Amino acid sequence: FGDLFEEFFKRRGPGGPNGQNGQPDLPRQRKSQSAGSGFVIDASGLVVTNNHVIGDANEITVIFNDGQRLKAEVLGKDAKVDLALLRVKPEKPLKAVKFGDSDKVRIGDWVVAIGNPFALGGSVSTGILSARNRNIEQGPYDNYLQTDAAINKGNSGGPLFNMAGEVIGINTAILSPSGGSVGIGFAVPSTLAATVIDQLKEFGETRRGWLGVRIQSVDDATAEALNLGTARGALVAGVDDKGPAKPAGLEVGDVIVKFDGKSVKESRDLPRIVAATPVGKDVPVVVLRKGKELTKTVKLGRLED
């Protein structure tokens, strides 16, 4: 609300809607600030946060628990998964945390969220893991962990820990009619985040695999028509003439049920699996075509923005 009130009073000016003594305000530069959270993953000074926390900021300051303030540079950021990697230059090694395996967490497990809600400073909240693999329609790779630990404005970019002190998620969003925590928070799972962060560290950008197909979901009626038994996989609705799938022999009507050894349970699984696969890798793709199971080998391309 701070920005809204500031904008309101700036428009009105000290003398009414038009400024001092009713005269129009002169254009003036506006400086705005925002606060978020982050965590150190390397003692040399690598810091992870959300992309939306830093946005297009021209100056970023990282404030540590001991009061130390360090200027940060952006090594890379990824808007699709909403992550950013920063570097600071400390005088002595920092305390760092490690990523855990978010694929191993179970619904009901205890979790701890640490962050900077409403710019109050370091704050801890606890809860349980409420759900996995949530799609909140924020991007093509939605696969959020859901928790009832209190997460509010300013918590974005902070770590979600398991009871072993490992980061299993990065707190990113909440669902809230009121604007505050109502016990429905979402975190980017560590298995997805670690892959993106490794690429930001190495390349300064995210390099995603590209298959070159247009897909749609498989419902019960489609599964019955294609003799799939149960609804599963991703139905190929189109093949890009310039994409890797074309020379590999994938066709419209194929149902992709396995990619690089990973099962495709529903259509939205496929883009995430493909994106996380190294560019240029020869990948076995299992498809169902006219009731028969076939395996095609695709040499993945790179997905361009």
Side-chain angles (χ1 to χ4, degrees):
F1 287 101
D3 285 347
L4 293 177
F5 283 121
E6 181 183 346
E7 183 66 27
F8 173 76
F9 286 112
K10 190 186 78 169
R11 286 202 309 268
R12 289 183 59 86
N18 290 320
Q20 186 69 35
N21 300 323
Q23 298 300 314
D25 277 336
L26 295 175
R28 55 186 175 182
Q29 187 176 6
R30 181 185 174 205
K31 181 179 180 180
S32 63
Q33 295 180 338
S34 65
S37 306
F39 56 98
V40 179
I41 60 167
D42 189 290
S44 67
L46 295 183
V47 178
V48 172
T49 186
N50 281 140
N51 178 60
H52 78 259
V53 168
I54 63 168
D56 294 320
N58 52 23
E59 186 176 290
I60 302 169
T61 302
V62 178
I63 307 172
F64 295 87
N65 280 344
D66 60 3
Q68 181 181 198
R69 304 170 70 97
L70 296 175
K71 299 295 183 185
E73 62 172 320
V74 179
L75 292 185
K77 52 186 181 178
D78 181 8
K80 288 187 173 67
V81 181
D82 198 2
L83 294 177
L85 181 63
L86 312 178
R87 181 190 294 280
V88 297
K89 296 180 179 178
E91 294 181 358
K92 59 181 180 180
L94 301 170
K95 291 183 179 180
V97 294
K98 294 182 179 180
F99 282 114
D101 188 349
S102 58
D103 288 341
K104 293 182 178 179
V105 297
R106 300 176 299 173
I107 295 173
D109 282 352
W110 284 96
V111 293
V112 174
I114 298 181
N116 181 29
F118 303 108
L120 291 173
S123 183
V124 178
S125 59
T126 63
I128 63 169
L129 187 70
S130 305
R132 298 175 53 181
N133 198 29
R134 283 295 196 213
N135 178 12
I136 61 174
E137 298 183 354
Q138 293 299 300
Y141 310 116
D142 277 17
N143 183 30
Y144 290 96
L145 301 176
Q146 181 182 324
T147 179
D148 67 350
I151 294 174
N152 289 284
K153 181 178 179 181
N155 273 111
S156 291
L160 185 69
F161 287 99
N162 62 15
M163 291 296 97
E166 299 168 328
V167 178
I168 58 165
I170 300 171
N171 302 318
T172 299
I174 60 173
L175 180 63
S176 172
S178 65
S181 174
V182 295
I184 304 179
F186 302 100
V188 178
S190 60
T191 50
L192 174 60
T195 301
V196 171
I197 290 166
D198 284 344
Q199 293 192 1
L200 294 180
K201 181 179 179 181
E202 184 176 357
F203 307 116
E205 60 182 359
T206 309
R207 299 182 178 181
R208 293 187 168 91
W210 177 49
L211 183 57
V213 295
R214 189 174 73 256
I215 59 173
Q216 65 184 53
S217 59
V218 178
D219 55 23
D220 291 335
T222 304
E224 184 178 352
L226 297 176
N227 296 319
L228 296 180
T230 58
R232 58 195 174 110
L235 178 63
V236 177
V239 179
D240 193 315
D241 288 336
K242 297 181 181 179
K246 183 80 170 181
L250 267 64
E251 300 177 359
V252 173
D254 287 347
V255 178
I256 300 174
V257 294
K258 188 173 289 188
F259 186 91
D260 198 20
K262 302 177 181 68
S263 295
V264 180
K265 297 179 181 179
E266 51 184 313
S267 60
R268 71 186 187 93
D269 291 338
L270 185 62
R272 188 170 60 249
I273 296 172
V274 172
T277 306
V279 176
K281 182 178 180 179
D282 291 322
V283 179
V285 182
V286 178
V287 302
L288 295 177
R289 179 185 299 171
K290 297 178 181 178
K292 295 182 179 180
E293 188 174 284
L294 305 173
T295 300
K296 302 291 184 178
T297 301
V298 179
K299 188 177 186 67
L300 277 194
R302 181 182 174 186
L303 181 67
E304 299 294 341
D305 287 339

Short mmCIF file of all heavy atoms in Angstrom, two decimals, residues 214-275:
data_model
loop_
_atom_site.label_atom_id
_atom_site.label_comp_id
_atom_site.label_asym_id
_atom_site.label_seq_id
_atom_site.Cartn_x
_atom_site.Cartn_y
_atom_site.Cartn_z
N ARG A 214 3.30 -29.19 -30.68
CA ARG A 214 2.19 -28.57 -29.97
C ARG A 214 1.37 -29.69 -29.37
O ARG A 214 1.04 -30.66 -30.06
CB ARG A 214 1.33 -27.74 -30.92
CG ARG A 214 0.29 -26.88 -30.21
CD ARG A 214 -0.45 -25.95 -31.16
NE ARG A 214 -1.40 -26.66 -32.00
CZ ARG A 214 -1.22 -26.96 -33.27
NH1 ARG A 214 -0.08 -26.61 -33.86
NH2 ARG A 214 -2.14 -27.60 -33.98
N ILE A 215 1.05 -29.59 -28.09
CA ILE A 215 0.39 -30.71 -27.41
C ILE A 215 -0.95 -30.29 -26.82
O ILE A 215 -1.23 -29.10 -26.66
CB ILE A 215 1.28 -31.28 -26.29
CG1 ILE A 215 1.61 -30.20 -25.25
CG2 ILE A 215 2.55 -31.90 -26.85
CD1 ILE A 215 2.34 -30.71 -24.03
N GLN A 216 -1.75 -31.29 -26.51
CA GLN A 216 -2.98 -31.05 -25.77
C GLN A 216 -3.19 -32.20 -24.79
O GLN A 216 -2.57 -33.25 -24.92
CB GLN A 216 -4.17 -30.89 -26.71
CG GLN A 216 -4.52 -32.14 -27.50
CD GLN A 216 -5.65 -31.88 -28.50
OE1 GLN A 216 -5.57 -30.94 -29.31
NE2 GLN A 216 -6.69 -32.71 -28.45
N SER A 217 -4.06 -31.97 -23.81
CA SER A 217 -4.27 -32.98 -22.78
C SER A 217 -5.08 -34.15 -23.32
O SER A 217 -5.80 -34.03 -24.31
CB SER A 217 -4.98 -32.36 -21.57
OG SER A 217 -6.22 -31.81 -21.97
N VAL A 218 -4.94 -35.28 -22.65
CA VAL A 218 -5.68 -36.50 -23.02
C VAL A 218 -6.77 -36.71 -21.98
O VAL A 218 -6.47 -37.00 -20.81
CB VAL A 218 -4.73 -37.72 -23.06
CG1 VAL A 218 -5.52 -38.98 -23.38
CG2 VAL A 218 -3.61 -37.50 -24.08
N ASP A 219 -8.04 -36.55 -22.39
CA ASP A 219 -9.14 -36.81 -21.47
C ASP A 219 -9.62 -38.25 -21.62
O ASP A 219 -9.08 -39.02 -22.42
CB ASP A 219 -10.28 -35.82 -21.69
CG ASP A 219 -10.78 -35.81 -23.14
OD1 ASP A 219 -10.57 -36.81 -23.86
OD2 ASP A 219 -11.39 -34.80 -23.55
N ASP A 220 -10.64 -38.62 -20.85
CA ASP A 220 -11.12 -40.01 -20.87
C ASP A 220 -11.64 -40.41 -22.24
O ASP A 220 -11.41 -41.54 -22.69
CB ASP A 220 -12.22 -40.19 -19.81
CG ASP A 220 -11.67 -40.10 -18.39
OD1 ASP A 220 -10.46 -40.37 -18.21
OD2 ASP A 220 -12.44 -39.77 -17.48
N ALA A 221 -12.34 -39.50 -22.91
CA ALA A 221 -12.90 -39.81 -24.23
C ALA A 221 -11.78 -40.06 -25.24
O ALA A 221 -11.85 -41.00 -26.06
CB ALA A 221 -13.81 -38.69 -24.70
N THR A 222 -10.74 -39.22 -25.19
CA THR A 222 -9.61 -39.39 -26.11
C THR A 222 -8.87 -40.68 -25.81
O THR A 222 -8.47 -41.41 -26.73
CB THR A 222 -8.64 -38.19 -25.98
OG1 THR A 222 -9.34 -36.97 -26.22
CG2 THR A 222 -7.50 -38.31 -26.99
N ALA A 223 -8.69 -40.97 -24.53
CA ALA A 223 -8.00 -42.21 -24.13
C ALA A 223 -8.75 -43.43 -24.64
O ALA A 223 -8.15 -44.40 -25.11
CB ALA A 223 -7.86 -42.25 -22.61
N GLU A 224 -10.08 -43.39 -24.57
CA GLU A 224 -10.88 -44.52 -25.04
C GLU A 224 -10.77 -44.66 -26.56
O GLU A 224 -10.63 -45.77 -27.09
CB GLU A 224 -12.33 -44.33 -24.62
CG GLU A 224 -13.24 -45.50 -24.99
CD GLU A 224 -14.67 -45.30 -24.53
OE1 GLU A 224 -14.93 -44.33 -23.78
OE2 GLU A 224 -15.52 -46.13 -24.92
N ALA A 225 -10.82 -43.52 -27.26
CA ALA A 225 -10.74 -43.56 -28.72
C ALA A 225 -9.40 -44.07 -29.20
O ALA A 225 -9.30 -44.71 -30.26
CB ALA A 225 -11.01 -42.16 -29.28
N LEU A 226 -8.34 -43.81 -28.45
CA LEU A 226 -6.99 -44.21 -28.85
C LEU A 226 -6.54 -45.52 -28.19
O LEU A 226 -5.39 -45.92 -28.34
CB LEU A 226 -5.99 -43.09 -28.50
CG LEU A 226 -6.19 -41.75 -29.21
CD1 LEU A 226 -5.20 -40.72 -28.69
CD2 LEU A 226 -6.02 -41.90 -30.73
N ASN A 227 -7.46 -46.14 -27.47
CA ASN A 227 -7.16 -47.41 -26.79
C ASN A 227 -5.99 -47.29 -25.82
O ASN A 227 -5.10 -48.15 -25.78
CB ASN A 227 -6.87 -48.52 -27.82
CG ASN A 227 -8.07 -48.84 -28.69
OD1 ASN A 227 -9.20 -48.90 -28.19
ND2 ASN A 227 -7.84 -49.02 -29.98
N LEU A 228 -6.00 -46.21 -25.03
CA LEU A 228 -4.92 -46.00 -24.06
C LEU A 228 -5.20 -46.67 -22.73
O LEU A 228 -4.31 -46.78 -21.90
CB LEU A 228 -4.71 -44.49 -23.83
CG LEU A 228 -4.25 -43.65 -25.02
CD1 LEU A 228 -4.11 -42.20 -24.60
CD2 LEU A 228 -2.94 -44.17 -25.58
N GLY A 229 -6.43 -47.09 -22.53
CA GLY A 229 -6.79 -47.65 -21.23
C GLY A 229 -7.20 -46.54 -20.29
O GLY A 229 -8.38 -46.29 -20.08
N THR A 230 -6.22 -45.83 -19.72
CA THR A 230 -6.49 -44.69 -18.84
C THR A 230 -5.95 -43.42 -19.48
O THR A 230 -5.05 -43.47 -20.32
CB THR A 230 -5.83 -44.89 -17.47
OG1 THR A 230 -4.42 -45.07 -17.64
CG2 THR A 230 -6.41 -46.10 -16.75
N ALA A 231 -6.52 -42.29 -19.08
CA ALA A 231 -6.05 -41.00 -19.60
C ALA A 231 -4.64 -40.73 -19.10
O ALA A 231 -4.40 -40.66 -17.91
CB ALA A 231 -6.99 -39.90 -19.16
N ARG A 232 -3.72 -40.58 -20.02
CA ARG A 232 -2.31 -40.33 -19.66
C ARG A 232 -1.59 -39.76 -20.86
O ARG A 232 -2.06 -39.83 -21.99
CB ARG A 232 -1.63 -41.62 -19.21
CG ARG A 232 -1.63 -42.73 -20.24
CD ARG A 232 -1.27 -44.09 -19.64
NE ARG A 232 -1.41 -45.18 -20.60
CZ ARG A 232 -0.40 -45.85 -21.13
NH1 ARG A 232 0.86 -45.54 -20.80
NH2 ARG A 232 -0.61 -46.85 -21.96
N GLY A 233 -0.41 -39.22 -20.61
CA GLY A 233 0.44 -38.74 -21.68
C GLY A 233 0.03 -37.39 -22.25
O GLY A 233 -0.87 -36.71 -21.75
N ALA A 234 0.73 -37.00 -23.31
CA ALA A 234 0.49 -35.73 -24.01
C ALA A 234 0.22 -36.02 -25.48
O ALA A 234 1.04 -36.66 -26.14
CB ALA A 234 1.69 -34.81 -23.87
N LEU A 235 -0.92 -35.58 -25.97
CA LEU A 235 -1.31 -35.81 -27.36
C LEU A 235 -0.66 -34.78 -28.27
O LEU A 235 -0.77 -33.57 -28.04
CB LEU A 235 -2.83 -35.74 -27.50
CG LEU A 235 -3.42 -35.91 -28.91
CD1 LEU A 235 -3.10 -37.29 -29.47
CD2 LEU A 235 -4.92 -35.67 -28.89
N VAL A 236 0.04 -35.25 -29.29
CA VAL A 236 0.69 -34.35 -30.24
C VAL A 236 -0.36 -33.81 -31.20
O VAL A 236 -0.94 -34.55 -32.00
CB VAL A 236 1.81 -35.07 -31.02
CG1 VAL A 236 2.42 -34.12 -32.05
CG2 VAL A 236 2.88 -35.58 -30.07
N ALA A 237 -0.63 -32.49 -31.11
CA ALA A 237 -1.63 -31.86 -31.96
C ALA A 237 -1.00 -31.14 -33.15
O ALA A 237 -1.70 -30.76 -34.09
CB ALA A 237 -2.46 -30.87 -31.14
N GLY A 238 0.31 -30.97 -33.11
CA GLY A 238 1.00 -30.32 -34.22
C GLY A 238 2.50 -30.53 -34.10
O GLY A 238 3.02 -30.69 -32.98
N VAL A 239 3.18 -30.55 -35.24
CA VAL A 239 4.63 -30.74 -35.26
C VAL A 239 5.26 -29.59 -36.03
O VAL A 239 4.88 -29.31 -37.17
CB VAL A 239 5.02 -32.08 -35.93
CG1 VAL A 239 6.54 -32.25 -35.97
CG2 VAL A 239 4.38 -33.25 -35.20
N ASP A 240 6.21 -28.91 -35.40
CA ASP A 240 6.91 -27.79 -36.03
C ASP A 240 7.80 -28.30 -37.15
O ASP A 240 8.62 -29.20 -36.94
CB ASP A 240 7.75 -27.06 -34.97
CG ASP A 240 8.27 -25.72 -35.44
OD1 ASP A 240 8.77 -25.65 -36.58
OD2 ASP A 240 8.19 -24.75 -34.67
N ASP A 241 7.64 -27.72 -38.34
CA ASP A 241 8.42 -28.16 -39.50
C ASP A 241 9.92 -27.97 -39.30
O ASP A 241 10.73 -28.67 -39.92
CB ASP A 241 7.98 -27.41 -40.76
CG ASP A 241 6.61 -27.86 -41.25
OD1 ASP A 241 6.23 -29.01 -40.93
OD2 ASP A 241 5.92 -27.07 -41.91
N LYS A 242 10.30 -27.01 -38.45
CA LYS A 242 11.71 -26.72 -38.23
C LYS A 242 12.21 -27.26 -36.89
O LYS A 242 13.34 -27.01 -36.50
CB LYS A 242 11.96 -25.21 -38.29
CG LYS A 242 11.64 -24.60 -39.65
CD LYS A 242 11.92 -23.10 -39.66
CE LYS A 242 11.58 -22.48 -41.01
NZ LYS A 242 11.83 -21.01 -41.01
N GLY A 243 11.36 -28.01 -36.20
CA GLY A 243 11.72 -28.50 -34.87
C GLY A 243 12.38 -29.86 -34.88
O GLY A 243 12.33 -30.59 -35.89
N PRO A 244 12.98 -30.27 -33.78
CA PRO A 244 13.67 -31.56 -33.66
C PRO A 244 12.74 -32.76 -33.80
O PRO A 244 13.18 -33.86 -34.17
CB PRO A 244 14.28 -31.51 -32.26
CG PRO A 244 14.32 -30.06 -31.90
CD PRO A 244 13.15 -29.44 -32.57
N ALA A 245 11.45 -32.59 -33.48
CA ALA A 245 10.52 -33.72 -33.51
C ALA A 245 10.25 -34.21 -34.93
O ALA A 245 10.00 -35.41 -35.15
CB ALA A 245 9.20 -33.34 -32.84
N LYS A 246 10.29 -33.29 -35.89
CA LYS A 246 9.96 -33.64 -37.28
C LYS A 246 10.91 -34.69 -37.85
O LYS A 246 10.46 -35.76 -38.31
CB LYS A 246 9.99 -32.36 -38.13
CG LYS A 246 9.58 -32.57 -39.59
CD LYS A 246 8.09 -32.63 -39.73
CE LYS A 246 7.69 -32.59 -41.20
NZ LYS A 246 6.22 -32.64 -41.37
N PRO A 247 12.23 -34.45 -37.87
CA PRO A 247 13.13 -35.47 -38.41
C PRO A 247 13.20 -36.75 -37.58
O PRO A 247 13.60 -37.80 -38.08
CB PRO A 247 14.49 -34.77 -38.43
CG PRO A 247 14.40 -33.67 -37.44
CD PRO A 247 12.97 -33.23 -37.47
N ALA A 248 12.78 -36.67 -36.33
CA ALA A 248 12.79 -37.87 -35.47
C ALA A 248 11.61 -38.79 -35.76
O ALA A 248 11.60 -39.94 -35.31
CB ALA A 248 12.78 -37.45 -34.00
N GLY A 249 10.62 -38.28 -36.50
CA GLY A 249 9.49 -39.12 -36.89
C GLY A 249 8.27 -39.03 -36.00
O GLY A 249 7.37 -39.86 -36.12
N LEU A 250 8.19 -38.01 -35.15
CA LEU A 250 6.97 -37.83 -34.36
C LEU A 250 5.86 -37.27 -35.25
O LEU A 250 6.12 -36.43 -36.13
CB LEU A 250 7.21 -36.88 -33.18
CG LEU A 250 7.60 -37.56 -31.86
CD1 LEU A 250 8.95 -38.27 -32.00
CD2 LEU A 250 7.65 -36.56 -30.72
N GLU A 251 4.64 -37.73 -35.04
CA GLU A 251 3.53 -37.37 -35.90
C GLU A 251 2.34 -36.87 -35.10
O GLU A 251 2.20 -37.19 -33.91
CB GLU A 251 3.09 -38.58 -36.75
CG GLU A 251 4.17 -39.14 -37.66
CD GLU A 251 3.70 -40.38 -38.42
OE1 GLU A 251 2.54 -40.80 -38.19
OE2 GLU A 251 4.49 -40.92 -39.22
N VAL A 252 1.48 -36.10 -35.79
CA VAL A 252 0.23 -35.67 -35.17
C VAL A 252 -0.60 -36.92 -34.83
O VAL A 252 -0.73 -37.82 -35.65
CB VAL A 252 -0.55 -34.74 -36.12
CG1 VAL A 252 -1.93 -34.44 -35.54
CG2 VAL A 252 0.23 -33.46 -36.36
N GLY A 253 -1.13 -36.94 -33.63
CA GLY A 253 -1.90 -38.10 -33.18
C GLY A 253 -1.13 -39.01 -32.26
O GLY A 253 -1.73 -39.85 -31.56
N ASP A 254 0.20 -38.88 -32.25
CA ASP A 254 1.00 -39.66 -31.31
C ASP A 254 0.70 -39.20 -29.88
O ASP A 254 0.44 -38.01 -29.63
CB ASP A 254 2.51 -39.45 -31.56
CG ASP A 254 2.99 -40.17 -32.82
OD1 ASP A 254 2.23 -41.00 -33.35
OD2 ASP A 254 4.11 -39.88 -33.26
N VAL A 255 0.75 -40.12 -28.94
CA VAL A 255 0.62 -39.78 -27.53
C VAL A 255 1.96 -40.08 -26.86
O VAL A 255 2.39 -41.24 -26.80
CB VAL A 255 -0.50 -40.58 -26.85
CG1 VAL A 255 -0.56 -40.24 -25.35
CG2 VAL A 255 -1.84 -40.29 -27.51
N ILE A 256 2.61 -39.04 -26.38
CA ILE A 256 3.90 -39.19 -25.71
C ILE A 256 3.66 -39.62 -24.27
O ILE A 256 3.03 -38.89 -23.48
CB ILE A 256 4.71 -37.88 -25.75
CG1 ILE A 256 4.96 -37.47 -27.21
CG2 ILE A 256 6.04 -38.02 -25.01
CD1 ILE A 256 5.62 -36.10 -27.35
N VAL A 257 4.14 -40.80 -23.91
CA VAL A 257 3.92 -41.33 -22.56
C VAL A 257 5.20 -41.39 -21.73
O VAL A 257 5.14 -41.55 -20.51
CB VAL A 257 3.27 -42.74 -22.62
CG1 VAL A 257 1.87 -42.66 -23.21
CG2 VAL A 257 4.14 -43.71 -23.42
N LYS A 258 6.33 -41.26 -22.39
CA LYS A 258 7.60 -41.28 -21.66
C LYS A 258 8.63 -40.46 -22.43
O LYS A 258 8.72 -40.56 -23.65
CB LYS A 258 8.08 -42.71 -21.45
CG LYS A 258 9.29 -42.84 -20.52
CD LYS A 258 9.62 -44.29 -20.20
CE LYS A 258 8.58 -44.92 -19.29
NZ LYS A 258 9.00 -46.27 -18.84
N PHE A 259 9.39 -39.64 -21.68
CA PHE A 259 10.40 -38.80 -22.30
C PHE A 259 11.69 -38.91 -21.49
O PHE A 259 11.70 -38.60 -20.30
CB PHE A 259 9.93 -37.34 -22.35
CG PHE A 259 10.86 -36.42 -23.09
CD1 PHE A 259 10.70 -36.19 -24.46
CD2 PHE A 259 11.91 -35.77 -22.44
CE1 PHE A 259 11.55 -35.35 -25.14
CE2 PHE A 259 12.77 -34.94 -23.12
CZ PHE A 259 12.59 -34.73 -24.48
N ASP A 260 12.74 -39.38 -22.13
CA ASP A 260 14.04 -39.54 -21.48
C ASP A 260 13.93 -40.37 -20.20
O ASP A 260 14.55 -40.06 -19.18
CB ASP A 260 14.65 -38.17 -21.17
CG ASP A 260 16.16 -38.25 -20.91
OD1 ASP A 260 16.78 -39.24 -21.34
OD2 ASP A 260 16.71 -37.32 -20.29
N GLY A 261 13.11 -41.41 -20.28
CA GLY A 261 12.95 -42.31 -19.15
C GLY A 261 11.98 -41.84 -18.08
O GLY A 261 11.72 -42.57 -17.11
N LYS A 262 11.42 -40.64 -18.24
CA LYS A 262 10.49 -40.10 -17.25
C LYS A 262 9.06 -40.21 -17.77
O LYS A 262 8.77 -39.82 -18.90
CB LYS A 262 10.83 -38.64 -16.94
CG LYS A 262 12.25 -38.43 -16.42
CD LYS A 262 12.52 -36.95 -16.21
CE LYS A 262 13.95 -36.72 -15.71
NZ LYS A 262 14.96 -37.04 -16.73
N SER A 263 8.17 -40.71 -16.94
CA SER A 263 6.78 -40.89 -17.34
C SER A 263 6.08 -39.54 -17.49
O SER A 263 6.28 -38.62 -16.69
CB SER A 263 6.02 -41.72 -16.30
OG SER A 263 6.54 -43.04 -16.26
N VAL A 264 5.27 -39.44 -18.54
CA VAL A 264 4.46 -38.24 -18.77
C VAL A 264 3.03 -38.59 -18.36
O VAL A 264 2.28 -39.19 -19.11
CB VAL A 264 4.51 -37.80 -20.25
CG1 VAL A 264 3.65 -36.56 -20.47
CG2 VAL A 264 5.95 -37.55 -20.68
N LYS A 265 2.67 -38.23 -17.13
CA LYS A 265 1.37 -38.60 -16.60
C LYS A 265 0.25 -37.75 -17.18
O LYS A 265 -0.87 -38.21 -17.38
CB LYS A 265 1.38 -38.51 -15.08
CG LYS A 265 2.36 -39.48 -14.42
CD LYS A 265 2.36 -39.33 -12.92
CE LYS A 265 3.36 -40.28 -12.28
NZ LYS A 265 3.41 -40.13 -10.80
N GLU A 266 0.55 -36.47 -17.42
CA GLU A 266 -0.41 -35.57 -18.05
C GLU A 266 0.35 -34.59 -18.93
O GLU A 266 1.57 -34.44 -18.81
CB GLU A 266 -1.25 -34.85 -17.00
CG GLU A 266 -0.46 -34.17 -15.91
CD GLU A 266 -1.37 -33.56 -14.85
OE1 GLU A 266 -2.35 -32.88 -15.22
OE2 GLU A 266 -1.13 -33.76 -13.65
N SER A 267 -0.39 -33.90 -19.79
CA SER A 267 0.27 -33.10 -20.83
C SER A 267 1.17 -32.01 -20.26
O SER A 267 2.23 -31.72 -20.83
CB SER A 267 -0.78 -32.48 -21.76
OG SER A 267 -1.65 -31.63 -21.03
N ARG A 268 0.79 -31.40 -19.14
CA ARG A 268 1.60 -30.30 -18.62
C ARG A 268 2.92 -30.77 -18.02
O ARG A 268 3.79 -29.96 -17.73
CB ARG A 268 0.81 -29.48 -17.60
CG ARG A 268 0.53 -30.14 -16.28
CD ARG A 268 -0.38 -29.25 -15.44
NE ARG A 268 -0.57 -29.76 -14.10
CZ ARG A 268 0.16 -29.40 -13.06
NH1 ARG A 268 1.15 -28.54 -13.23
NH2 ARG A 268 -0.08 -29.88 -11.85
N ASP A 269 3.09 -32.09 -17.84
CA ASP A 269 4.38 -32.61 -17.39
C ASP A 269 5.45 -32.48 -18.47
O ASP A 269 6.63 -32.28 -18.16
CB ASP A 269 4.27 -34.09 -17.00
CG ASP A 269 3.43 -34.32 -15.76
OD1 ASP A 269 3.28 -33.37 -14.97
OD2 ASP A 269 2.91 -35.44 -15.58
N LEU A 270 5.03 -32.62 -19.73
CA LEU A 270 6.01 -32.69 -20.82
C LEU A 270 6.85 -31.43 -20.99
O LEU A 270 8.08 -31.54 -21.09
CB LEU A 270 5.30 -33.06 -22.13
CG LEU A 270 6.23 -33.28 -23.33
CD1 LEU A 270 7.16 -34.46 -23.08
CD2 LEU A 270 5.41 -33.52 -24.61
N PRO A 271 6.25 -30.22 -21.06
CA PRO A 271 7.10 -29.03 -21.23
C PRO A 271 8.15 -28.88 -20.13
O PRO A 271 9.29 -28.48 -20.40
CB PRO A 271 6.09 -27.88 -21.19
CG PRO A 271 4.81 -28.48 -21.61
CD PRO A 271 4.83 -29.88 -21.05
N ARG A 272 7.78 -29.23 -18.91
CA ARG A 272 8.72 -29.11 -17.79
C ARG A 272 9.87 -30.10 -17.92
O ARG A 272 11.03 -29.76 -17.68
CB ARG A 272 7.96 -29.31 -16.48
CG ARG A 272 8.78 -29.02 -15.25
CD ARG A 272 7.93 -29.01 -13.99
NE ARG A 272 7.27 -30.29 -13.75
CZ ARG A 272 5.96 -30.49 -13.84
NH1 ARG A 272 5.16 -29.50 -14.21
NH2 ARG A 272 5.43 -31.67 -13.59
N ILE A 273 9.54 -31.34 -18.31
CA ILE A 273 10.58 -32.36 -18.46
C ILE A 273 11.51 -32.02 -19.62
O ILE A 273 12.74 -32.12 -19.51
CB ILE A 273 9.95 -33.74 -18.68
CG1 ILE A 273 9.13 -34.16 -17.45
CG2 ILE A 273 11.03 -34.79 -18.96
CD1 ILE A 273 8.32 -35.43 -17.66
N VAL A 274 10.94 -31.59 -20.73
CA VAL A 274 11.73 -31.24 -21.91
C VAL A 274 12.65 -30.06 -21.60
O VAL A 274 13.83 -30.06 -21.95
CB VAL A 274 10.82 -30.91 -23.11
CG1 VAL A 274 11.65 -30.36 -24.28
CG2 VAL A 274 10.06 -32.14 -23.56
N ALA A 275 12.10 -29.05 -20.94
CA ALA A 275 12.88 -27.84 -20.65
C ALA A 275 14.08 -28.14 -19.77
O ALA A 275 15.12 -27.50 -19.89
CB ALA A 275 11.99 -26.80 -19.98
#
